[in-house]
Amino acid sequence: RFLISTFLGLELTGVYTFYWSVANVIHSLAVVGILKSQIAPLLAAGRKSDESFLATERHLQIEIGGWALFLSIGAIIFTPLLLPYLGRPLLHDYVPVLWLLLVATLLRVAADGYGFALLALHRDRAIALIAACGAIASAALNVILTPLAGLWGAAVAASMVAAGLFVVRFYLTRSHFSPSRAGP
């Protein structure tokens, strides 16, 4: 938000922050409400590091993804209905930015599911490195895309970073089970 306010000013930053907050509530509900309540079975399956881990992880991704999608659809339906009561016409002008931030949220939820899978697999250094790279990528993409495309650029940056986190965490989780890592 600090970079967005630097390039777009406080009023558009307020629009972005409002829509980001809606998306962030969905992320928090999915990760804290669903994912964290299921971490114990994932950690137990991680100790085995076998097919049961993959099944547990897949079940968890389906559950958190389903809830995040359900909540996102609710936000797409109900947020525009609430906007007239807020007295902020600029919010109405940028409703599609919410949609893109919700896509980013779905990707973040999926990425966080694989982040917890990495935790269960004791890949702590990878978790830290991925988080640091994600923060740097977010800042860099916002510096490039926000001046070029305004709020759309900021939302695209959020989606790209979330997609990158998802891909890297998915790959590292799956590579843990590759045949070349199998023991004797």
Side-chain angles (χ1 to χ4, degrees), residues 124-183:
D124 299 350
R125 287 187 184 159
I127 294 167
L129 182 62
I130 293 165
C133 289
I136 292 167
S138 178
L141 287 170
N142 272 292
V143 165
I144 294 166
L145 296 175
T146 302
L148 290 175
L151 291 183
W152 285 100
V156 167
S159 296
M160 290 174 67
V161 170
L165 292 172
F166 170 75
V167 167
V168 171
R169 289 174 179 168
F170 174 84
Y171 172 77
L172 289 176
T173 301
R174 289 302 184 261
S175 69
H176 184 81
F177 296 95
S178 69
S180 63
R181 288 191 53 115

